[in-house]
Amino acid sequence: MKQYLLIILLATIATLVSCEKILDYTTTQIDYNGVPHKSMLVVSARYYCDLGLKIHVDRSLSIAENPNLPPLAQVKVTLTKKGGATLFSNLVTLGSTSGKAFISKDSLIELPTEGETLILSVECNGFDPVEGETTIPQTVPINNFSVTGNESKSNTFQFTLNFDDPANSTNYYFISSVEHTFAYPTWNNDTTHNIQRITIPLTDPIFSFMPDFRTSIHEPFNNSIYKPRIFPDTPISGKSYSLKIDIPEKTDYQQTLYDTIETEYTIELFSISKELFEAYKSIYLAEIVAGDIYSEPITQYSNMSNGIGFFGSVSPRASKTIRLEKNRVLEVFNGYTDFHY
Amino acid sequence: MRIFFSKASLLVAFTLAFLSSSLLHAQNNFITGYVTDSISGEKLINANIYINEYTKGTASNNNGYYTIRTKQENTTIHCSYIGYSTKVLKIDVQKDTLINIALVPNLEVEEVTIEAKSSRFKNFTIKDIPIKQIKQAPAMMGEIDIQKSVQQLPSVTSTWAGFAGMIVRGGNADQNLILIDDIPIYNSSHFYGLFSVINENALQSARFINGSIPARFGSRLSSVLDITLKDGNRRRAEGEAAIGIMSGNIMLNGPLKNNKTTYSFSGRRSMYDLAATSYNLLAKKPLEGSFFGDATAKITHTFSNRDKVTISLLYSIDKYYNNSKKDYSIGNTTGELSQKQGYNWGNYILSTKWNRVHNPMISFSNTLFFSNFNHKRQNKEEFNSGSLDYNSNVEFSSTINDIGVRTDWQYFPHASHKFYFGINHTLHRFAPGSSLFYDNKDQAQEPIKRNLGSEKYNLHENISYLEYDVTISPIVSINIGVRNTLILSKEYTKLIPEPRFTSSITISEKSNLIIYYTHTSQYFHLLRTSILEQPTDMWVPATKNFPEEKANQAGAEWTYVHSSAYEVSIASYYKSMYNLISYKEGASVLPNENGWEEKMGKGKGHSYGAELLIQKKAGKLTGWIAYTLAWSKRQFNSINKGKEFYSPFDKRHEISITSNYQLSSNWNFGANWTFNTGMPYSMPAYSIKTFNTNEAIFIYTTKNNLRLPAYHRLDIGAHYTKKHRKHKKWENVWSFSVYNAYAKKNVYYRGMWGYFPAEASLFICLPSISYKLRF
């Protein structure tokens, strides 16, 4: 019996000691089977027909590297028409902290038009050159723009923006809003003028193409400020559509200090290329689930050969502006004003 | 495709009708009876019975009953079963004859060399699981596990290293039909997937089918693990009591009145949590731990040689709990905060079956069954102080309740012609992912009350099947069948035909070739992320958007029987799967307002490979060597930008060597070695700063872009059996085992854990000891 007890004791001790190591968990020193990381150019570029080329260039980092490396200083940017002329080719200095640059449309030899395909090449010392292409989308005008109070939500304006989705093509859209507030104070003639780009609450069902993913660290996706203000024409293809936008009344000005408060909202509708739509969708989705251990990994969209990122294009904007005083519509007009009064 | 299957079904039905019409006038005599264990009197399932003069034999069914027909008046029949001495009987068959065969256990484990007979070949790619051998195999923490033994076979791999979940021929974990006394079980694992819920003490027999699945089985795409529970010893009461580091269990079985009724009971409970709870109570620490338990019971009453009724029960439960209380302040208010976090999940199955041998040609069984699978998670907080109270409660639960009735018939009009047919109706009641939120933390606001996804789905599964098994010539036999399922639910109605075809070709007395085609469907999906395997993963029914999963599989298996001891088989297959589901990129397991469908994508997959199995079935040294070469791929429009990617279970090479050595009547040794190519996993290729927020995000370029390092592990074990000093019929059995004996740090998880890359290894050398008393 004594020998049994000895065996049991030894086995139990060995078991308990080994149980300390049942789970070995580590977050460092991972051998990735020798998979090397070759740093690539990361390009985010959008060609706005109204403005020109906005470009952000960075480098990819291995996931173990310190991400606080300085931005790249200078890159060579070449923009050509597919099968046609070179529109721009020059060294471009990137913002020292942002890594961004802007090439005005006025710098281009000629302006590309709807339906034309642009090729963007970016070169930088120490990296493989990268290239991507985009086809400029068709402009879609706003037919009608109106405003009412939302019956179900007090202190809320409901804007209705009507447009015709072109038939026989797949279209993608981006929508944005600029708010101008003009306040006329009681004690002198100065006017307070505040301009801000505001986040549109995405209540219209057209935006529900994005799934309502709930994550452990962010709010439900439907309510997220991360949700992109883009939508495809899938449910409205070739039809006229009235998109509804709910915007709360301006309440952060103290009425007692001002005689009059007028607010101007400019709603802009852009057609965007498929590449831009896919890229926005992918980036926004990655941002909202970043760090969430319960979420499935997201493979990132890229149309840049030899690199990561995207090159997309945006049609000339179609915009309507509405000027309101409290809930009274003062004026609705095309485009927008940079200056009022 | 649909038209093709409709036509195929008609063709199968027509062929069956045509062939059967020519058989009814055959004039033969039947030999029928039961195959039993000579000591306990228990039935032996799937024993081989064959007649010298015929090339094809038969096998005893789930009741141990066999029927074989002969034209010879003087016939010699052979009956064999793994672990038993083969019996050869010379019979004078003037008329239909009842011959019950009692096989003697081969206790001395002598290596008997019997000339191989082609009639021993099976008509399907069925593997009998040697229960005796798996009980002697080294076991993780002493927990003998049938599913882990099946993982040692070619074509089968584990979901995660060390887990009990099975992946068969590149399928998914939910595609395996696990039958307990003919009733499907949904959750077959304990302790977060590490151990099977099927207690080894309750096992009578098990067989595994991975390729040519007969039409009598269905509702899953990839495989069938058909387990029969012990009826109980018909001669005397016996039992076992065992204790190990993980659990303690007890088994009792024996006869009741007049030896016509037998009972069998086994129960198991985890042990380690008792010690942990005691320690936490004494140390005044939060109560945290896990618990599991299960029980199986079976009562069998034999009315006569023709009629038998059984009642079977299986119950399993798992719990995780973490309860704590602490002083807590909200603003200037101090009070006590109590927190309760818990998961629990479990199954139960209750069935009653009536088996009847109507006459030597016809036997049938009728079954009524209930089954339940449920899981629940809860997070509850209560803050109490004199002036301020709040509480919040988050619950998440999912259940499936099944109630069903089935009748299965066998009709053997001729030695060469057999029919299997039956009908089955099951009502599945799903309540997937209902969630309850209650929160009154913000005293100024109305309490938040939400109830998500509480809708229940009823799904009626109506099945009819017909199989025709015919020996066309001494060389060729064919099994042709069709299984028709009519699915009825509120939003989804569909008739799904599943044609099956298997042909067995005897190449020589020692070798056989099986070729087959099977079309299988399943009407449920398991929602499982690629990140974690959880027992609380939800089962959901097929819907309009996510219809039944379908698979076509074609393959061949060549078997060479060198002797009764040695057998070699080589198999190859190609399987295509449709309507598979998977979480979309970015989706998480957390419940959302719009239900599970929004989070899922639909896709397809295909797998192919070759398998080698070399077995040594008799002698002091027994075991097998299995090698699998396989590919498994998936394609989902919503994942990996629509491009094809490797399934998480794509393991190119897999080798397992299973061995057992009976040194003496006291000592038995076992060793298993497993090797497989590492599993694919997803890891970001880069991190970048986004153009709009300038924050670093991780970029995944392709799904499952990397592979874990190769996995290998050696398990060793020994059993020491000694007669009890006082009670000569009692035995003491000491079992020692070391899981992962050479302490290989196998990575079982690698990926991003939050914002950091992480990896984890499980079970780095795990010795265990257990004691069993047999009485």
Side-chain angles (χ1 to χ4, degrees), chain B residues 429-691:
Chain B
R429 191 163 170 78
F430 290 84
S434 64
S435 307
L436 174 72
F437 297 87
Y438 177 83
D439 197 330
N440 70 344
K441 264 183 196 166
D442 190 343
Q443 300 281 307
Q445 299 286 330
E446 281 289 302
I448 300 168
K449 291 179 185 174
R450 278 197 290 174
N451 195 358
L452 304 178
S454 59
E455 192 178 344
K456 292 181 171 58
Y457 301 82
N458 285 346
L459 187 138
H460 296 265
E461 182 185 6
N462 305 285
I463 295 166
S464 63
Y465 68 86
L466 174 59
E467 253 182 70
Y468 174 45
D469 198 299
V470 56
T471 303
I472 293 175
S473 74
I475 293 173
V476 179
S477 66
I478 285 175
N479 181 289
I480 187 166
V482 65
R483 181 181 179 90
N484 288 302
T485 306
L486 177 64
I487 292 295
L488 296 169
S489 71
K490 196 176 173 183
E491 63 159 27
Y492 190 60
T493 299
K494 196 166 184 183
L495 176 65
I496 304 156
E498 299 173 33
R500 313 275 173 92
F501 170 84
T502 303
S503 177
S504 173
I505 302 159
T506 304
I507 297 168
S508 71
E509 280 210 332
K510 290 193 171 184
S511 69
N512 188 60
L513 177 70
I514 291 173
I515 54 172
Y516 59 88
Y517 162 79
T518 58
H519 178 77
T520 46
S521 305
Q522 74 176 55
Y523 329 105
F524 331 107
H525 312 285
L526 180 65
L527 310 186
R528 174 165 288 175
T529 70
S530 66
I531 302 150
L532 291 170
E533 174 184 344
Q534 299 183 89
T536 51
D537 291 333
M538 272 199 310
W539 286 90
V540 293
T543 63
K544 253 183 198 165
N545 296 326
F546 293 93
E548 78 285 353
E549 296 180 19
K550 297 184 284 189
N552 294 309
Q553 186 177 181
E557 182 172 305
W558 173 78
T559 305
Y560 175 79
V561 180
H562 179 265
S563 66
S564 64
Y566 293 97
E567 192 173 307
V568 177
S569 61
I570 297 173
S572 65
Y573 66 92
Y574 180 86
K575 182 161 74 174
S576 55
M577 296 165 277
Y578 305 93
N579 298 338
L580 302 179
I581 71 169
S582 178
Y583 277 89
K584 286 177 185 167
E585 292 184 358
S588 90
V589 291
L590 300 176
N592 59 340
E593 298 209 13
N594 298 336
W596 62 268
E597 286 198 353
E598 187 169 36
K599 298 189 287 187
M600 308 310 292
K602 187 170 72 175
K604 58 188 179 181
H606 65 108
S607 58
Y608 49 93
E611 297 150 2
L612 168 71
L613 178 65
I614 303 169
Q615 291 175 277
K616 185 171 185 297
K617 293 181 169 179
K620 285 194 169 185
L621 177 68
T622 55
W624 65 80
I625 298 171
Y627 169 67
T628 306
L629 172 68
W631 287 260
S632 177
K633 295 172 185 174
R634 299 282 186 274
Q635 192 272 321
F636 285 74
N637 289 339
S638 55
I639 299 172
N640 201 37
K641 306 294 170 228
K643 293 178 190 161
E644 193 172 72
F645 58 93
Y646 283 115
S647 149
F649 308 111
D650 176 82
K651 299 176 185 175
R652 189 73 60 252
H653 305 280
E654 187 149 21
I655 302 168
S656 63
I657 301 173
T658 305
S659 62
N660 188 273
Y661 186 71
Q662 186 76 44
L663 179 69
S664 65
S665 57
N666 294 120
W667 281 101
N668 178 284
F669 296 92
N672 294 346
W673 185 73
T674 304
F675 169 91
N676 61 253
T677 310
M679 294 164 72
Y681 70 100
S682 297
M683 188 60 113
Y686 315 98
S687 74
I688 62 166
K689 291 174 190 170
T690 57
F691 72 98

Side-chain angles (χ1 to χ4, degrees), chain A residues 8 15 18 22 24-27 31-33 37 40 61 67 100 212 214 287 290-291 293 295-296 298-300, chain B residues 529-531 585-588 591 598 641 686-687 689 691 700 707 745 750 753-754 757 759 761-763 767:
Chain A
I8 295 166
T15 301
S18 66
I22 282 182
D24 188 6
Y25 175 80
T26 179
T27 56
D31 173 15
Y32 292 104
N33 285 341
H37 170 250
M40 296 190 292
L61 302 166
K100 293 178 182 174
D212 176 25
R214 184 178 297 266
E287 281 178 345
I293 58 168
S295 293
E296 292 286 320
I298 294 164
T299 52
Q300 205 66 30
Chain B
T529 70
S530 66
I531 302 150
E585 292 184 358
S588 90
E598 187 169 36
K641 306 294 170 228
Y686 315 98
S687 74
K689 291 174 190 170
F691 72 98
Y700 294 84
R707 273 183 192 275
K745 192 177 168 184
R750 187 180 278 175
W753 198 253
E759 72 175 27
S761 300
L762 267 176
F763 313 125

Side-chain angles (χ1 to χ4, degrees), chain A residues 1 4 7-8 11-12 14-15 18-19 21-33 35 37-40 42 44 46 56 58-65 67-69 97-98 100 208 210-218 220 222 226 280 282-287 289-302 308 310, chain B residues 141 245 343 437 450 452 528-532 582-594 598-599 639-641 681-703 706-709 720 722 725 734 736 745 748 750 752-769:
Chain A
M1 193 60 194
Y4 287 146
I7 292 168
I8 295 166
T12 308
T15 301
S18 66
C19 284
K21 279 280 185 188
I22 282 182
L23 176 66
D24 188 6
Y25 175 80
T26 179
T27 56
T28 55
Q29 301 296 318
I30 296 173
D31 173 15
Y32 292 104
N33 285 341
V35 176
H37 170 250
K38 186 186 172 194
S39 193
M40 296 190 292
V42 181
S44 309
R46 291 153 288 166
H56 172 265
D58 200 352
R59 59 164 75 80
S60 71
L61 302 166
S62 95
I63 54 175
E65 271 182 271
N68 294 319
L69 293 174
T97 54
S98 67
K100 293 178 182 174
S208 62
M210 290 289 269
D212 176 25
F213 292 159
R214 184 178 297 266
T215 79
S216 62
I217 56 174
H218 295 292
N222 256 353
Y226 291 95
Y280 277 0
S282 184
I283 289 167
Y284 281 113
L285 205 53
E287 281 178 345
V289 302
D292 185 356
I293 58 168
Y294 295 111
S295 293
E296 292 286 320
I298 294 164
T299 52
Q300 205 66 30
Y301 174 83
S302 173
I308 311 169
F310 63 89
Chain B
M141 299 189 207
I245 60 164
Y343 305 152
F437 297 87
R450 278 197 290 174
L452 304 178
R528 174 165 288 175
T529 70
S530 66
I531 302 150
L532 291 170
S582 178
Y583 277 89
K584 286 177 185 167
E585 292 184 358
S588 90
V589 291
L590 300 176
N592 59 340
E593 298 209 13
N594 298 336
E598 187 169 36
K599 298 189 287 187
I639 299 172
N640 201 37
K641 306 294 170 228
Y681 70 100
S682 297
M683 188 60 113
Y686 315 98
S687 74
I688 62 166
K689 291 174 190 170
T690 57
F691 72 98
N692 53 349
T693 62
N694 208 30
E695 286 178 1
I697 61 167
F698 295 103
I699 301 297
Y700 294 84
T701 49
T702 48
K703 171 100 174 163
L706 295 176
R707 273 183 192 275
L708 295 177
Y720 176 69
K722 196 174 181 186
R725 283 178 189 166
W734 289 94
F736 310 93
K745 192 177 168 184
Y748 95 100
R750 187 180 278 175
M752 295 302 292
W753 198 253
Y755 292 97
F756 304 100
E759 72 175 27
S761 300
L762 267 176
F763 313 125
I764 305 157
C765 193
L766 199 58
S768 67
I769 183 170

Side-chain angles (χ1 to χ4, degrees), chain A residues 246-266:
Chain A
D246 287 331
I247 294 185
E249 265 183 34
K250 193 76 184 162
T251 56
D252 55 351
Y253 279 81
Q254 294 178 42
Q255 183 66 53
T256 52
L257 298 179
Y258 303 97
D259 284 338
T260 310
I261 299 172
E262 287 178 13
T263 312
E264 219 175 76
Y265 291 99
T266 303

